[in-house]
Amino acid sequence: MESYTIGQAARLLGVSVDTARRWADAERFPTRREGARRMVDGPDLAAFCVEAAQEGGEAEDAPYTSARNAFPGIVTAVKLGTVDAQVEIQAGPHRIVSLLTREAVEELGLEVGARAVARVKSTSVFIDRV
């Protein structure tokens, strides 16, 4: 299972490190200590990303982007079929769903809590594990 520092979590959430710390202090998502670092487990961060996106709505200052963009985020759901798979990524306020082969999901090691990038071109979404 992947874990993230508060700084990494802040980047994935699209907020400042101070905001992520305040949310952790308010117990909006659980953290644990590894030495001097506060860590967030991937599945816990994924669940919080979904919750935060549902609360937030559309940000007025969200950048406008072209169709050929990369959306770094965190995997929030993986549904495996016999041949196909569905992967959901929360990238800031954006929920991205991609249909791909089960083999691709397994080769990339995609699981809830893993960092990933959704690449969008026209109607196709490609996911890179980071």
Side-chain angles (χ1 to χ4, degrees), residues 84-107:
D84 61 342
Q86 178 178 312
V87 175
E88 294 182 24
I89 294 176
Q90 194 68 46
H94 308 289
R95 176 179 166 258
I96 300 166
V97 179
S98 179
L99 300 176
L100 56 164
T101 65
R102 179 185 180 120
E103 180 181 17
V105 170
E106 290 170 348
E107 284 180 7

Side-chain angles (χ1 to χ4, degrees), residues 29 66-67 87 115:
F29 56 85
S66 71
V87 175
R115 285 183 291 175

Side-chain angles (χ1 to χ4, degrees), residues 52-91:
Q54 290 171 346
E55 289 174 2
E58 285 295 316
E60 288 184 24
D61 60 348
Y64 291 96
T65 60
S66 71
R68 294 185 185 97
N69 284 294
F71 294 89
I74 187 168
V75 176
T76 57
V78 176
K79 297 174 187 163
L80 297 174
T82 305
V83 176
D84 61 342
Q86 178 178 312
V87 175
E88 294 182 24
I89 294 176
Q90 194 68 46

Side-chain angles (χ1 to χ4, degrees), residues 15 18 25 32 35 96 101 106 129-130:
V15 298
D18 288 337
D25 291 343
R32 60 183 163 71
I96 300 166
T101 65
E106 290 170 348
R129 170 88 190 263
V130 271

